[in-house]
């Protein structure tokens, strides 16, 4: 039996499926965009059919924390939770709901969230109320990288539940804080007391700012969506800054002799936004087409995972959280049964896959999706689609008329699943951020 590993759960924000070199991404003008993440993939396991629980951030984070479909919580039906909800006592993650960090803490882990929370505000909600011993980061969905102010204009960088002011580029501050945490906990880890770190970057989420762009922060503060700025090279540099920071964390683990016994998992909370590369997938953030939900998944754990591995296992965010719970020796609450399914067997034997149907629902455009095997059922507005993703990852060849029986069966399966989760309340919010008046449709 492998001992409890240290676990670092790295989540990028709005990263596209093909933004990383190891997923087919092209080099930038400055060179390789993601050499450190590419090295983790080369040294471990890369998934080609991995998904986010939602095509937008906070719903995925509810699923990540609870290991259950996000629709089982009221806040998980916001698309996403907005900064206007500050002070709302019903939309955040309730402290009584069991979470991955809380259950791992019961199993003996030190726990920390370094980065983005986006699951409600104290005193009703917060990282320290949902299983984390330590928190350094932001409560909101996005902030300026230099002023650390949210879209409301309020300062949003915290240490615990206290406002914390610190100069610097947020991506680097998050990376360095994680390095400090690893070094601080290294001796305890070597003595058999593991740590669990949620390393949740805001990169490469808007506003479009690299380390060199402090001068535009005051102008961006007027609208963090930054609809009149950014470009592909700036976006790639933001990914590169995050990748460098991940390299610092890996180097710290190596220096402390902890790398072999640390499970590092990397993903994105949803598909890419306006400057992302999702090729060959269509769509992006807010869409249940593949570009909105299929995301990179990399697992690196030298003592267990052989290098250079590839898996086609279907999986989604909550499955990875369930995996970490099992590997950490935690036990789910009988009152909150998991929807996530552990992938521990796949980590050990990547060629072994199992049947895993995946379901999605979006209030935005009344979207539905079901992935079962190579087949995908999709509904957007009043239109239904059926795709064989083994032949058509780009979802261009609609097979509803060629396979009407399969369409009917998958529609019925989705409807049966939908009866097992709460209905969307009338006051649930949808925030797209921009419209056709701001830029042409993709």
């Amino acid at each position: 039996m492998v001992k409890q590993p240290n676990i670092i759960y790295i989540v990028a924000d709005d990263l596209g499926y093909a933004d990383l070199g190891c997923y087919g991404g092209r080099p930038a003008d400055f060179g390789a965009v993601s050499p450190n993440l590419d090295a983790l993939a080369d040294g471990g396991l890369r998934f080609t059919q991995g998904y986010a629980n939602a095509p937008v951030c906070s719903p995925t984070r509810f699923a990540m924390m609870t290991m259950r479909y996000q629709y089982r919580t009221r806040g998980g039906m916001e698309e996403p939770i907005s900064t206007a909800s500050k002070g709302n006592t019903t939309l955040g993650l309730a402290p009584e709901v069991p979470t991955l960090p809380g259950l791992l803490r019961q199993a003996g882990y030190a726990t920390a969230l370094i980065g983005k929370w986006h699951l409600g505000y104290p005193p009703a909600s917060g990282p320290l109320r949902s299983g984390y011993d330590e928190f350094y980061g932001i409560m909101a969905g996005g902030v300026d990288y230099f002023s650390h102010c949210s879209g409301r204009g309020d300062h949003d960088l915290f240490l615990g539940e206290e406002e914390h002011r610190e100069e610097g580029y947020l991506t680097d501050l998050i990376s360095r804080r994680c390095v400090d945490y690893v070094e601080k906990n290294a001796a305890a880890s070597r003595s058999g007391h593991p740590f669990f770190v949620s390393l949740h970057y805001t990169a490469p989420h808007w506003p479009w700012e690299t380390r060199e762009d402090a001068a535009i922060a005051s102008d961006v503060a007027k609208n963090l969506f930054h609809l009149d700025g950014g470009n592909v090279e700036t976006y790639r540099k933001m990914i590169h800054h995050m990748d460098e920071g991940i390299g610092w964390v890996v180097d710290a683990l190596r220096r402390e002799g902890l790398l072999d016994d640390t499970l590092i998992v990397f993903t994105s909370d949803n598909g890419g936004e306006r400057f992302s590369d999702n090729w060959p997938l269509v769509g992006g953030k807010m869409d249940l087409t593949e570009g909105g939900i299929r995301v990179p998944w990399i697992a690196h754990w030298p003592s267990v995972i052989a290098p250079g591995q590839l898996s086609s296992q279907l999986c989604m965010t909550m499955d990875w959280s369930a995996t970490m719970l099992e590997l950490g020796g935690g036990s789910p609450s009988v009152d909150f049964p998991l929807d996530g399914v552990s992938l521990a067997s796949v980590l050990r034997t990547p060629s072994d896959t199992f049947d895993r149907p995946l379901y999605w629902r979006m209030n935005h455009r009344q979207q539905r999706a079901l992935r079962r095997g190579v087949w995908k059922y999709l509904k957007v507005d009043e239109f239904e689609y059926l795709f064989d993703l083994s032949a058509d990852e780009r979802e261009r060849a609609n097979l509803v008329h060629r396979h009407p029986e399969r369409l009917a069966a998958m529609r019925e399966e989705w409807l049966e699943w939908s009866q097992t989760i709460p209905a969307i309340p009338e006051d649930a919010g949808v925030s797209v951020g921009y419209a056709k008046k701001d830029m042409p449709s993709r």
Side-chain angles (χ1 to χ4, degrees):
M1 172 119 180
V2 177
K3 69 177 184 178
Q4 290 173 301
N6 301 307
I7 302 171
I8 301 183
Y9 201 170
I10 309 176
V11 182
D13 202 341
D14 292 359
L15 185 76
Y17 180 74
D19 279 332
L20 305 182
C22 56
Y23 278 87
R26 290 162 288 186
D29 289 349
F30 57 79
V33 173
S34 55
N36 292 293
L37 284 165
D38 298 345
L40 288 177
D42 288 344
L45 176 57
R46 183 170 66 86
F47 285 71
T48 61
Q49 304 291 315
Y51 290 86
N53 259 75
V56 63
C57 41
S58 60
T60 291
R61 294 168 195 273
F62 274 99
M64 182 189 311
M65 286 289 287
T66 65
M67 297 159 285
R68 290 156 56 87
Y69 275 111
Q70 60 271 24
Y71 321 107
R72 302 194 187 283
T73 60
R74 173 61 187 85
M77 290 188 274
E78 296 291 298
E79 298 174 359
I81 292 179
S82 73
T83 53
S85 71
K86 192 170 186 178
N88 186 297
T89 60
T90 61
L91 297 184
L93 180 57
E96 62 268 20
V97 176
T99 64
L100 173 62
L103 295 171
L104 286 177
R105 185 165 66 181
Q106 292 177 15
Y109 277 77
T111 61
L113 169 59
I114 301 172
K116 176 174 170 175
W117 168 245
H118 201 190
L119 294 173
Y121 295 86
S125 306
L128 301 187
R129 298 161 192 263
S130 286
Y132 290 109
D133 299 320
E134 300 182 29
F135 170 56
Y136 172 90
I138 70 166
M139 298 282 188
V143 299
D144 179 81
Y145 285 83
F146 295 95
S147 69
H148 313 143
C149 290
S150 76
R152 290 165 51 112
D154 54 335
H155 184 260
D156 193 341
L157 180 63
F158 288 83
L159 185 59
E161 292 188 354
E162 299 298 321
E163 186 179 344
H164 176 75
R165 293 191 177 268
E166 182 175 0
E167 291 187 2
Y169 182 66
L170 183 59
T171 302
D172 291 343
L173 295 178
I174 289 170
S175 297
R176 292 186 181 119
R177 181 68 59 154
C178 189
V179 170
D180 292 345
Y181 185 88
V182 168
E183 293 174 345
K184 180 182 72 174
N185 287 273
S189 175
R190 289 191 293 267
S191 300
H193 301 285
F195 56 78
F196 169 75
V197 180
S198 295
L199 179 55
H200 294 178
Y201 287 96
T202 60
H205 190 285
W206 42 258
W208 314 115
E209 297 170 320
T210 71
R211 288 184 190 128
E212 292 75 43
D213 291 323
I216 71 173
S218 59
D219 184 59
V220 167
K222 302 168 188 174
N223 188 336
L224 290 188
F225 285 111
H226 205 177
L227 297 173
D228 59 353
N231 55 55
V232 171
E233 284 301 299
T234 293
Y235 175 78
R236 287 173 168 173
K237 183 61 72 71
M238 293 171 72
I239 297 171
H240 188 65
H241 293 333
M242 174 182 66
D243 182 83
E244 285 182 306
I246 292 169
W248 302 341
V249 174
V250 172
D251 287 344
L253 291 167
R254 187 178 288 113
R255 284 195 307 271
E256 298 292 348
L258 301 177
L259 185 59
D260 284 355
D261 295 320
T262 298
L263 170 62
I264 301 173
V265 172
F266 174 86
T267 191
S268 178
D269 59 351
N270 47 254
E273 226 240 29
R274 70 199 83 158
F275 293 114
S276 304
D277 186 354
N278 286 326
W279 182 262
L281 313 178
V282 165
K285 185 175 182 178
M286 298 297 288
D287 300 324
L288 289 183
T289 46
E290 292 290 284
I293 48 178
R294 202 193 302 184
V295 291
W297 281 105
I298 298 168
H300 184 273
W301 186 11
S303 66
V304 172
I305 301 173
Q309 299 296 303
L310 200 66
S311 176
S312 60
Q313 173 64 52
L314 296 185
C315 56
M316 65 198 317
T317 311
M318 63 186 180
D319 297 336
W320 283 95
S321 298
T323 304
M324 294 172 189
L325 183 65
E326 178 185 334
L327 294 173
S331 299
S333 167
V334 295
D335 296 325
F336 293 83
L338 305 189
D339 296 311
V341 177
S342 175
L343 305 168
S345 63
V346 180
L347 298 188
R348 297 186 174 97
T349 312
S351 59
D352 288 351
T353 59
F354 56 89
D355 183 47
R356 177 67 173 119
L358 306 174
Y359 306 87
W360 293 268
R361 180 188 71 188
M362 283 288 285
N363 193 11
H364 176 56
R365 301 186 68 184
Q366 292 75 58
Q367 296 177 83
R368 307 173 180 175
L370 162 60
R371 176 82 194 263
R372 179 175 282 283
V374 302
W375 292 95
K376 181 176 177 182
Y377 163 67
L378 175 68
K379 183 175 182 291
V380 183
D381 299 319
E382 69 272 28
F383 303 107
E384 289 186 309
Y385 309 91
L386 180 67
F387 299 110
D388 176 355
L389 295 183
S390 67
D392 175 31
E393 288 190 305
R394 203 159 167 77
E395 297 172 290
R396 300 292 86 182
N398 186 8
L399 302 176
V400 294
H401 300 301
R402 185 167 293 188
H403 297 282
E405 299 86 359
R406 186 178 296 276
L407 171 68
M410 294 188 74
R411 179 198 300 124
E412 184 60 29
E413 182 180 352
W414 187 93
L415 289 170
E416 290 177 358
W417 166 79
S418 71
Q419 295 301 308
T420 69
I421 57 173
I424 300 173
E426 291 186 3
D427 63 345
V430 175
S431 176
V432 179
Y434 54 88
K436 292 179 181 178
K437 65 180 176 61
D438 301 303
M439 65 193 74
S441 297
R442 48 179 170 251

